[in-house]
Each structure stands twice: as C-alpha cells, then as structure tokens.
Amino acid sequence: MKLKYIFLVSAISLLFAGCNENSFLDNPPQATLSNGTMTSADGVDLLINAAYAALGGPGGQSNSVWIYPTTNWSYGEVRSDDAYKGGGGVGDVNEIHKMETFDVDATNGNLDGKWYQLYCSVQRCNSALRVLDNSTDGQIENRNIRIAEMKVLRAHFYFEMSRLFNKIPYFDENVANNSIYKTISNNQYTRDEILGKLAQEMLDAAAVLPESQSEVGRVNKYIAYAYAAKIKLYQAYKQDETTHAVISVDKTLMKDVVDLCDKLINSGKYDLLSDFQGLDLIANENGKESVFAIQYSMNDGTINGGRINWSNLLNSPGGGSPYGGDGFFLPSQDLVNAYQTDANGLPDFTYQSKSDYSKVTDNGDNTYSLSNVTPSVDPRLDFVVGRPNISWKTYMKTPCNGWVRDKGTYGYNCTKRFWVSPESPDMMQGWPWGASQMNWQIIRYADVLLWKAEALIEIGSDLTTARALINKVRERAKNSSYVKDFTDKSKNAANYSIGLYAADNWTQDYARKALRTEMRLETAMEGERFFDLVRWGIADKVMNNFLTVEKSKRIYYANSKFTAGKDEYLAIPNNQYGFSGGIYVQNPGYAAFK
C-alpha cells in the first residue's frame, strides 16, 4: 500500500493543522482527537503520518503551499539563471519578483512564510519523536525504524533551512516549550556544524532502516544513504562565514560522498529510466529512477480532487493553453540557449556570446515564427521547455503556442516538465489546473550518478569513472525518443545532437565544467540550480553574467545585481527575530536587526 493512502485514512485532519508561529515548539496537532491521544502511543501513527504529509507542505491544500513551495521552484530556480517568475507580471506575487531581482530584505513575507512552514514541519517530526522516545517496543511495532524515519524527515527539513537561510536555530525533540526556544540562538552552530549534524543523523538512521519498506513512500536505508551523500557534498565546499566564498574543498568528505553513492549504485535496486520523458509519466512515479519522492494522489476522497502537488499549482501553462493555469515559473532564454551543442554534440560553452536560439517573433494573429533554429541542440531542451510551434508531449490539437500570460515581460517559452499531457486521463480537468497524482522527486538516481562524478572530479584521482558516469546520463538522453515536428511526425522538431565525452583533453578543469553543465541540463527546473551555484562558489559570477545579458531583454532586470557575501542566502525574517526575543543575528550583507 502506498503511504500516501495511509495519510488519507489516518491523518487527513492533521494536514490542515495550524502552527502557532509564536509557539510552534509546543504545538500538538489540532484536530478532533484529544491531546491525550496525540501524546500517547495510541496516536503515534497519526503523528508519523502528519510528518510525512509535511513533505508536501504542512499547510496541506492551501495557498501557503502555492506561495512557499516545497518544490523550491521560486527559491532554487527563479533566483538562478534557469527561470523567470512568470505569472501576470512583476506585480503578481511581487515578493517572489523581489527574490528574482535580488531586492530582498528581512521584511519580505515570502521569507518569513517559508521559515515558518519548515519549522512547523520540523516540529511535526519532533512531536512524533517525543512519543516514540517515551514508548516501548511492545507498545509500538517497529518503533526504532519509525524513529529513524522521523530523523531522516527532520534532517531533510533542516537541510532545506540551512541552504536557504544559513544561520538557523537547531533543536531536537527534547526542546518542547516556548521558553526554551527563546534561548536558542540561530548562531549557535556554523553552517559546517549544522551540515555535519544532519549528515550524521542520516547515517545513524541508515544503520537502523531496512533496505525496503512494505508501504511505498516510507523512508528506507538507501534514501538515508543518498541524502547523507547530498549533505556531505554541500559540506565539502568550505565557505568563509562572512563572505560565503568557497575557500577549500574537503576531499575526505568527497570520498564519503563516493562511498555513499556506491551503496545505491551497487545495490542493484536503482537505474535510469530508458527515456528522459518517462520522468513525467505516472506509470514511472515510483520506478527504478525514483530514490526519494513526495507521494501524491488524486480522486482519493479529499477536497479539490485529491492530495495533488499544490506547490506547482500556480505553474501550469496559462494563456490559451489547455491547462488554463496561472503560468508562473517560466524557463529563461539563457537556459534555452545553454542546450546548444557543438559539432561533436557536446555543450557549447560559448553560447552566451551567440544570438538567442529559437528567437520568437509574434505575428500578431496568435501565430509565431522562430528564427535561429539551425544550430544543434541537446534533445533535453524540448523535454524541459515548451517552445512555440513545437509539439507538446502527446497533445495533438495544437502545438505550444501563446501559453504565456505576460509575453511582453517574460517571453514565449513555458515549462514542459512535471505535467502530464492535457488529453491524458491522469490529468484533472478544470480546478486545480493541470493537476495529477504525479510524485515530486526529491532525489532521483541521475542525481546520485552526478554527485559521485562531482566528488570524483574534486578528489581528482579517478576522472575516468567520473566521465563514464556523466556519459551514462548523457547516453540516456541520446537514446530517448526525440520530440517530433508538429505537422510532420517523420521529422524531429529541432536539429538534435548529443555526444559523449571522449578521453582526450579530459582534464580536471574541463571535467568540472562538463559536470556542472550536465547538472544544469539534466536537472533544469527541479529546484536545485541556485543552491548548486552557491555550493560551487560561483553564484556571483554566473548570476551577474546572466543579469548583464538579460537586461537588454527583460526591462525588470535593469537595476538587478547579485551581491557576493549577501545574496547567497536569504535574510533572517524580521518576524522571526521578534519571536526569538531578539537573540537572532542577521546574515552577512543584510541590515542588522534593530
């Protein structure tokens, strides 16, 4: 049985439980059940399921999930060179626009809401752990396994906090009242110490968790190993605490990353799907490439059609699309250009010096012309991006034309990933727009392969294996079914060309560039790009290059600038400073609290 159905049976009332922002540390879930039940072994399953439900956002089916998405589309992509905010213009959810243009301070409500949601999620784990810790094995079946599951989920929420806000307060289930909370500084631990604690918690959980669980969706040993690898990968890039500049790379931690990734690679349980586009098919949602996913469902008896991915609710294509959505989260022209390839089918690292690929001309009658489409491109371009005149999945009525609400501001391309084709019986018709039961992949097997490759490149001792891993990911894209021309299905929709890296000139510097590019092309729009740039210590250079080029195309970028030593992390929200009783300190680069 999928765990998502267990949520529906036993924890539905908890999905809508509030979290008093001034006292979330002492917050038993509010429902019709008594507090006595919810703090005893009798209610522990409800508490555990509520913690799992928080993966999709502790607010359940509410605007808190749309505005503070667990998918990180606004935090990890719109703040990067991959995406524009989209929607109805710069004033539509203006707080995200301010994040996109690096005009952020401690009063931005989107920051406060995200902080609040994540700590509510942490507290759901702690509420379950307090009961589990105070129970016996005889009272609760698989008690130690459930403890390990909750620690993995808690570490996940804390990891999100760390890479968003840098200076964060850390507490476990033993902190259970508001008076103690106000003694916990957000400066008690450094970034490195926080990441070290979270990685160790993942490893401790892995020692207890089984290799598989009978209910799909429950955390297992390999999820804990994979997540420990991800956290150690971040930790390996040592940052200066004041400037956020990467000052060294810890090769010992990188060796740990390799060893942890090998646990999944050698397990025989995971592999790449044969076709990249299979990532967006319901049939594959818990398939061999899925390592850790948020489980969603549809037509399950809950309101508004089911427990669907409300984090993506604003993002379904708008304009005249068959989805009829709000049209947020649009791919940038820079991302489109980055899919261009050279004569060998390898990434064209000079793409920013060239004309825009697939430049769109609006003919004024709901038709569009594309120019500069003869260069070769990686086929993943049209798996990820919806371009005018280009076939959209298996939809036969029209190509992707005019599906952006504010074309004058954001251009004409929309995001093709994460949606089922609109004629599919898996898609809900009407509200919620474009909804389906498609899971959200927190970690997929391609990530694991690329993490290992990255670690090997930074260690510098086995560049050959790193190249083979990168090529394995590229080969899957090469062998996928290419998008066909809308009017002539015997032709490809573009001049697709993707090659594999050769051993010649495969130096550490070149391998590093190849890996970072591959990470972008393979995981575009998955919420990771900005965090990758910060981890590598190149956010300043990449983002300012991007903004310089974009200013001539997007007028709203006219005064935008990425400030090194500040914009790598979000400001600690003013509200949280007040709730802490004034003990929090602000991140470098932002105005100090008063």
Side-chain angles (χ1 to χ4, degrees):
M1 175 183 284
K2 277 191 176 183
L3 188 62
K4 62 188 178 187
Y5 298 122
I6 295 184
F7 293 157
L8 302 170
V9 173
S10 61
I12 185 168
S13 61
L14 301 181
L15 295 179
F16 305 98
C19 183
N20 184 322
E21 191 155 6
N22 197 26
S23 59
F24 58 72
L25 288 171
D26 191 19
N27 180 51
Q30 302 301 307
T32 57
L33 297 169
S34 69
N35 284 344
T37 299
M38 298 310 297
T39 56
S40 70
D42 293 336
V44 72
D45 283 343
L46 299 176
L47 294 169
I48 290 169
N49 292 338
Y52 271 104
L55 289 170
Q61 296 162 314
S62 73
N63 65 354
S64 69
V65 186
W66 318 344
I67 303 303
Y68 319 122
T70 62
T71 60
N72 283 329
W73 67 263
S74 55
Y75 303 100
E77 296 291 347
V78 170
R79 291 163 70 208
S80 81
D81 51 349
D82 273 3
Y84 309 131
K85 175 184 70 68
V90 298
D92 197 358
V93 194
N94 184 253
E95 289 171 329
I96 297 179
H97 167 75
K98 287 182 177 295
M99 290 197 298
E100 180 182 2
T101 56
F102 300 103
D103 181 21
V104 170
D105 61 29
T107 66
N108 188 307
N110 201 273
L111 280 56
D112 183 55
K114 184 66 169 178
W115 179 291
Y116 165 59
Q117 295 291 331
L118 282 169
Y119 271 110
C120 284
S121 300
V122 165
Q123 179 58 1
R124 287 197 181 185
C125 299
N126 283 339
S127 293
L129 282 166
R130 278 193 285 271
V131 176
L132 288 163
D133 290 346
N134 292 312
S135 302
T136 66
D137 293 344
Q139 291 175 299
I140 299 173
E141 187 177 3
N142 296 321
R143 186 178 72 93
N144 288 333
I145 292 173
R146 300 296 176 252
I147 289 173
E149 291 174 27
M150 292 300 95
K151 290 187 175 182
V152 168
L153 296 187
R154 183 176 65 188
H156 161 71
F157 296 128
Y158 270 130
F159 177 69
E160 292 290 273
M161 286 295 300
S162 174
R163 63 182 187 163
L164 284 166
F165 293 103
N166 185 36
K167 293 184 181 295
I168 62 169
Y170 178 89
F171 53 88
D172 61 19
E173 68 270 25
N174 297 310
V175 175
N177 65 71
N178 195 46
S179 62
I180 297 177
Y181 163 59
K182 290 187 175 181
T183 69
I184 301 173
S185 169
N186 70 327
N187 206 30
Q188 182 180 5
Y189 299 107
T190 65
R191 168 186 177 272
D192 189 64
E193 289 169 338
I194 287 286
L195 294 177
K197 290 171 72 70
L198 301 182
Q200 189 59 53
E201 190 145 69
M202 291 291 184
L203 293 176
D204 291 344
V208 175
L209 288 163
E211 292 188 1
S212 62
Q213 299 256 30
S214 59
E215 296 161 340
V216 175
R218 283 201 186 275
V219 171
N220 62 36
K221 184 185 296 290
Y222 292 107
I223 290 172
Y225 282 142
Y227 220 131
K230 183 174 186 177
I231 295 170
K232 282 177 176 281
L233 189 63
Y234 275 67
Q235 188 187 10
Y237 293 93
K238 302 300 181 182
Q239 292 183 1
D240 182 277
E241 290 188 43
T242 301
T243 66
H244 309 315
V246 173
I247 55 178
S248 65
V249 178
D250 188 322
K251 293 186 178 182
T252 299
L253 286 172
M254 288 297 188
K255 178 61 167 60
D256 291 344
V257 173
V258 172
D259 292 343
L260 288 165
C261 289
D262 277 343
K263 290 183 182 297
L264 281 84
I265 293 169
N266 297 332
S267 71
K269 294 179 175 292
Y270 303 97
D271 202 351
L272 299 176
L273 294 173
S274 60
D275 193 311
F276 186 93
Q277 295 184 92
L279 293 169
D280 293 335
L281 296 178
I282 301 296
N284 297 327
E285 63 178 1
N286 285 305
K288 60 186 178 181
E289 190 161 345
S290 178
V291 176
F292 185 25
I294 303 174
Q295 303 289 315
Y296 290 111
S297 58
M298 197 168 71
N299 298 324
D300 49 35
T302 58
I303 63 171
N304 293 323
R307 190 174 182 274
I308 54 102
N309 185 353
W310 288 77
S311 286
N312 276 2
L313 188 70
L314 293 177
N315 302 346
S316 57
S321 84
Y323 296 92
D326 287 304
F328 282 75
F329 190 34
L330 307 174
S332 71
Q333 183 63 49
D334 189 85
L335 177 63
V336 171
N337 294 343
Y339 280 101
Q340 292 178 95
T341 55
D342 65 15
N344 297 312
L346 299 175
D348 184 349
F349 296 132
T350 68
Y351 75 87
Q352 283 188 324
S353 66
K354 299 181 178 180
S355 299
D356 287 342
Y357 176 78
S358 189
K359 185 174 180 179
V360 182
T361 299
D362 189 337
N363 299 323
D365 57 355
N366 202 35
T367 65
Y368 304 88
S369 300
L370 303 182
S371 58
N372 193 32
V373 292
T374 56
S376 58
V377 290
D378 187 311
R380 285 173 292 190
L381 167 64
D382 289 323
F383 301 160
V384 173
V385 176
R387 297 189 290 134
N389 298 350
I390 304 299
S391 300
W392 178 276
K393 299 184 181 288
T394 55
Y395 191 59
M396 300 299 293
K397 290 186 178 180
T398 64
C400 175
N401 273 10
W403 293 3
V404 174
R405 286 172 62 197
D406 188 345
K407 303 172 186 65
T409 300
Y410 298 113
Y412 299 86
N413 301 311
C414 51
T415 301
K416 205 172 189 178
R417 285 292 321 275
F418 321 124
W419 305 106
V420 298
S421 198
E423 84 284 0
S424 169
D426 291 319
M427 191 188 92
M428 186 170 295
Q429 299 301 314
W431 171 266
W433 309 294
S436 73
Q437 67 181 43
M438 187 184 300
N439 291 347
W440 179 264
Q441 302 300 322
I442 298 174
I443 299 174
R444 57 187 178 93
Y445 188 61
D447 299 328
V448 175
L449 297 178
L450 294 175
W451 295 341
K452 180 180 176 181
E454 180 178 343
L456 288 172
I457 289 167
E458 294 304 326
I459 294 168
S461 61
D462 190 358
L463 298 180
T464 299
T465 298
R467 180 166 53 85
L469 291 165
I470 295 170
N471 279 342
K472 181 178 176 68
V473 174
R474 292 182 64 78
E475 191 166 29
R476 187 264 294 276
K478 180 181 177 70
N479 294 333
S480 294
S481 300
Y482 296 166
V483 175
K484 297 300 181 182
D485 183 86
F486 184 75
T487 57
D488 185 351
K489 301 304 180 186
S490 68
K491 299 178 181 178
N492 291 334
N495 180 19
Y496 299 126
S497 176
I498 181 169
L500 305 183
Y501 288 101
D504 294 345
N505 300 316
W506 186 254
T507 64
Q508 185 181 38
D509 285 345
Y510 184 81
R512 183 181 290 119
K513 182 185 293 187
L515 178 282
R516 292 177 178 181
T517 299
E518 194 63 29
M519 194 82 79
R520 183 186 191 188
L521 302 181
E522 174 69 17
T523 67
M525 313 303 276
E526 293 184 10
E528 297 294 316
R529 174 64 173 171
F530 182 80
F531 305 120
D532 287 341
L533 296 177
V534 172
R535 179 174 87 246
W536 296 327
I538 61 174
D540 176 20
K541 178 181 178 181
V542 169
M543 290 311 301
N544 282 321
N545 284 346
F546 167 76
L547 293 169
T548 297
V549 173
E550 286 285 320
K551 286 176 183 179
S552 64
K553 308 168 190 175
R554 309 280 174 252
I555 191 171
Y556 68 85
Y557 280 134
N559 298 314
S560 299
K561 181 181 184 296
F562 183 97
T563 301
K566 168 181 172 283
D567 289 320
E568 292 87 352
Y569 296 99
L570 297 171
I572 308 302
N574 270 347
N575 281 348
Q576 300 306 322
Y577 172 73
F579 295 141
S580 77
I583 66 171
Y584 284 178
V585 297
Q586 187 54 276
N587 275 318
Y590 295 97
F593 293 120
K594 296 181 180 178

